[in-house]
Amino acid sequence: NDATLLELALQRTGFSTQCERVETAEGLSNALDRQDWDVVVADYVMPQFEGLRALAEVKEKGFDLPFISVSGHITDDTAVAAMNAGAFEYVMKDNLTRLGPAVERELRDVEVRRARKLTEKKLWEEHAFRSAIENSIPSGIVVLNLDGKQTYVNPAFCEMVGWSESELIGSKARE
């Protein structure tokens, strides 16, 4: 019944839902392996499986999924423990109107994290590419700021002038 109430709460918020109810760690693992999911909503206390174990399973698989803990009897200490374990949000069963907005907020946050990771990956790739080229060409490269101080030198430039990178960076260009 609780799973149905959660699904209805999400549908009332405007979500088109495709839900799968699991009751064991194995069931969760199989569901996560079978398809991509947008969010995990887990009861904090279940007969055969607890919410913190579900959270650990999601993290062990390396998924960046919003994890929302739902409970009928959660204390502040329990909520803090869930959040410290990595739950993104918790919602009380007697206030399921918070579920939809919590899911919306967490989906936005996960998109921001994914975009940041993609940007960081592209930046790393660009840096690695640039570094490979600058460190392999025989031409000296030096970058000066507006004050004439050297802010970058490649290995070929250091070899040409006979100075180390640490001696050149920050110093004025020699004539």
Side-chain angles (χ1 to χ4, degrees):
N1 290 338
D2 287 343
T4 302
L5 290 174
L6 294 172
E7 187 172 5
L8 288 171
L10 289 171
Q11 289 171 350
R12 277 189 220 115
T13 309
F15 285 102
S16 172
T17 59
Q18 178 184 351
C19 300
E20 182 171 339
R21 184 177 62 106
V22 299
E23 297 179 7
T24 64
E26 184 180 356
L28 176 61
S29 181
N30 290 338
L32 291 171
D33 290 341
R34 199 169 28 258
Q35 71 179 65
D36 292 333
W37 296 97
D38 295 320
V39 65
V40 175
V41 179
D43 200 327
Y44 193 79
V45 178
M46 296 176 274
Q48 300 176 48
F49 191 39
E50 64 178 34
L52 290 182
R53 180 64 193 115
L55 175 58
E57 180 74 26
V58 171
K59 290 180 140 217
E60 285 171 16
K61 288 191 167 284
F63 291 112
D64 186 9
L65 289 173
F67 189 97
I68 299 176
S69 184
V70 178
S71 179
H73 309 289
I74 196 169
T75 65
D76 288 340
D77 290 340
T78 306
V80 169
M83 300 295 266
N84 285 340
F88 292 86
E89 184 73 61
Y90 75 93
V91 175
M92 299 297 293
K93 286 182 185 177
D94 63 357
N95 191 11
L96 290 181
T97 57
R98 286 192 59 236
L99 183 60
V103 168
E104 287 173 344
R105 182 175 48 256
E106 296 307 327
L107 289 174
R108 279 192 310 270
D109 288 352
V110 83
E111 282 306 313
V112 168
R113 284 193 307 277
R114 287 177 182 161
R116 183 175 52 239
K117 283 180 184 176
L118 182 60
T119 300
E120 288 171 354
K121 181 179 182 264
K122 287 181 179 179
L123 182 61
W124 181 87
E125 289 170 350
E126 180 66 27
H127 175 73
F129 179 72
R130 189 198 84 205
S131 182
I133 291 172
E134 291 171 359
N135 291 324
S136 65
I137 62 172
S139 301
I141 300 173
V142 63
V143 177
L144 305 173
N145 66 15
L146 294 176
D147 296 328
K149 290 185 178 179
Q150 297 167 126
T151 60
Y152 173 82
V153 291
N154 74 338
F157 183 79
C158 293
E159 193 174 312
M160 288 169 60
V161 298
W163 294 72
S164 71
E165 180 182 1
S166 62
E167 293 171 310
L168 293 168
I169 298 297
S171 66
K172 287 233 180 206
R174 293 165 175 80
E175 294 185 18

